[in-house]
Amino acid sequence: MASVTEALSAAYEHHVAGRLDAAVTLYGRIIDAEPRNHGALHLLGLARIQLGDLDGATESMMLAAAIVPDNPTYRSNLGTALKAQGRFDLAEEAYRQALAIDPGHVDAMANLGGVLHATGRLAAAIACLERALALAPDHAVTLINLGVALTDRGQLPRALGLLRRAVEVTAPAPGQPLGERGGEARWDLALALLMAGDYAAGWPQFEARRGRAGHVLARPHGLEWDGADPAGRTILVHSEQGRGDSLQFARFIAPLASRGARVVLACQPELARLLATAPGVAQVVSTADPTLPAYDVFCPLLSLPGRLGLTSAAELATAGPYLAPDPAQAATLRARVNGVAAGRRAVGLCWAGAPGNPVDARRSLDPALLAPLARFHDRVAFVSLQKGGPAVPAALPLIDWTAELADYADTAALVANLDLVITVDTSVAHLAGALGRPVWLLNRYDGCWRWQKGRVDSPWYPSLVQLRQEEMGDWRAPLSRLTARLGAWLAAPPP
């Protein structure tokens, strides 16, 4: 091997050029020759973060920081590796150690603000990020993190200004690809614009989701539809992201079909039967099917409103239900629900989303908090819509037929026979809304862009009411409003 200095230089060239495997191999050889080469250990940790080897990255960063304990950058980047693992307490400690060494270390300060935000300390996060911004007004991570924090706080005008500046400072040189930080800035700007209801500016930025880590987007063969006249063409529209996204955006198939397109929808298999009822759908296929029918062009489902030029709230809304249960199945379940309800109102409950979702810990509810609903048992038959997850307290009796619900068409047939659905922000909210059933959404403070800020209604579903946290992570206020609202609802004559 060449001298260690030459080898480190060569490894770094591989690293910055994106040849990460080659860089990792060469960093490893340097460390084999010099186990205490902290520079190689630190750079190896950075490369491993980029490759997704978070355990290896943390190990390398810890070794580098142990060898040179007074290096604030090593501590800060160790925090970044720990943060990526979700080990927020240790990440916060590492960032604070970096700032103890160098109180003006902007990277550590900006990332500490991100950890404070992620752990529910929004006011502290904003204060920390404001200090970082004063030190470095064009620091990309600070602009992004502060923009996101202010979006969650509902301070959208300033958030948009910061995120637009983040897009500017992360813009690539002509002819160069958009980097990870640039994609992140565009994505966060998209969410803030959509949160503000600026769909004309938001939909183009929303395309930044394609470059996000973990975003699964099908790449069918052929050409992607660019929004040109679709008349006479068969367009393959394919689902992406979660089931709630598919349920929500299925409304846009109708306007595409109304322009003369024949629409084939490829969606999650558990949604196929139900989404076949969406207006404008000519054919539904499962994304699990290896073969696709013939088509002229394709389009991701979440790109439809932008490609169709739908930018006003009126164009995005629906006047009523746009999905329907199977009539025979719904009739069978109606008899069952009426039998067990025995004159009581039937109310569906869903308290948790899919645990793999990055925001699930914030959107899901400890079912023990639902115990006060037991006081309504003499007037309400509570029906579980929760597939998996923790169980509700025994004191709250539930009718649970979820083992019989094989797909969303089954669930739709049950929901169609409920007087009300109470749910956290998961696909059940979209299902109930798309069916036109009354739904009360127990929403986290930093809710998804689609629910907007400061609203108790929904721009997407006329039948939906929001009961939102007043502080991050605090369910007391929405649950108090829930019990009061449920009592008033029961006291009123049935519609």
Side-chain angles (χ1 to χ4, degrees), residues 94-108:
Y95 290 136
R96 291 194 184 280
Q97 288 172 344
L99 290 168
I101 299 166
D102 177 7
H105 199 285
V106 176
D107 281 348

Side-chain angles (χ1 to χ4, degrees), residues 54 56 108 209 215 228 230 239 322 352 365 371 433 442 447 487:
L54 300 180
R209 70 189 186 282
H215 180 77
S239 292
Y322 56 92
L365 181 70
L442 293 167

Side-chain angles (χ1 to χ4, degrees), residues 188-394:
D188 291 324
L189 175 60
L191 299 186
L193 288 165
L194 296 175
M195 178 83 77
D198 187 351
Y199 300 105
W203 292 135
Q205 297 291 350
F206 197 55
E207 295 300 309
R209 70 189 186 282
R210 297 170 183 244
R212 286 179 57 76
H215 180 77
V216 179
L217 183 63
R219 304 287 183 185
H221 64 82
L223 298 175
E224 184 169 344
W225 181 53
D226 60 2
D229 184 4
R233 309 176 87 181
T234 295
I235 299 182
L236 173 71
V237 175
H238 55 83
S239 292
E240 52 177 310
Q241 299 198 65
R243 300 170 187 88
D245 298 284
S246 296
L247 291 165
Q248 178 190 3
F249 278 72
R251 71 185 64 207
F252 298 118
I253 294 172
L256 176 59
S258 72
R259 299 185 188 188
R262 179 181 183 273
V263 181
V264 176
L265 175 63
C267 66
Q268 297 95 329
E270 60 273 22
L271 288 173
R273 277 206 304 144
L274 179 61
L275 291 186
T277 70
V281 174
Q283 183 179 358
V284 172
V285 295
S286 166
T287 51
D289 192 331
T291 61
L292 291 171
Y295 58 90
D296 297 309
V297 289
F298 68 88
C299 184
L301 178 60
L302 273 61
S303 294
L304 275 185
R307 299 289 161 80
L308 290 165
L310 305 178
T311 58
S312 71
E315 291 172 316
L316 301 175
T318 59
Y322 56 92
L323 298 178
D326 176 81
Q329 191 176 13
T332 298
L333 279 167
R334 185 176 309 118
R336 290 183 69 185
V337 170
N338 289 342
V340 297
R344 297 174 294 167
R345 305 273 191 99
V347 175
L349 291 179
C350 180
W351 53 88
N357 190 297
V359 301
D360 190 60
R362 302 202 299 278
R363 69 172 178 173
S364 292
L365 181 70
D366 179 353
L369 296 174
L370 297 175
L373 297 182
R375 75 181 73 168
F376 300 107
H377 179 58
D378 60 333
R379 290 177 288 167
V380 175
F382 288 108
V383 179
S384 176
L385 298 174
Q386 181 67 46
K387 295 278 283 185
V392 295

Side-chain angles (χ1 to χ4, degrees), residues 116-133:
L116 293 171
H117 186 180
T119 51
R121 291 166 285 174
L122 187 55
I126 291 171
C128 179
L129 291 163
E130 293 283 16
R131 291 193 296 272
L133 186 69

Side-chain angles (χ1 to χ4, degrees), residues 3-95:
S3 72
V4 168
T5 301
E6 292 171 336
L8 190 58
S9 178
Y12 187 69
E13 286 183 15
H14 284 306
H15 193 158
V16 296
R19 299 185 293 271
L20 297 176
D21 289 333
V24 165
T25 298
L26 199 44
Y27 288 141
R29 291 175 183 168
I30 294 167
I31 294 164
D32 287 341
E34 289 189 1
R36 292 181 61 80
N37 190 312
H38 55 86
L41 284 164
H42 174 244
L43 291 170
L44 175 61
L46 293 177
R48 283 174 163 169
I49 289 177
Q50 292 173 267
L51 287 169
D53 177 12
L54 300 180
D55 289 340
T58 300
E59 179 185 5
S60 299
M61 297 288 194
M62 283 181 170
L63 289 170
I67 294 167
V68 188
D70 59 349
N71 186 313
T73 298
Y74 289 3
R75 296 282 176 184
S76 178
N77 287 333
L78 170 59
T80 299
L82 292 163
K83 179 174 177 284
Q85 289 181 300
R87 300 163 71 181
F88 294 123
D89 53 343
L90 294 177
E92 179 177 346
E93 181 182 352
Y95 290 136

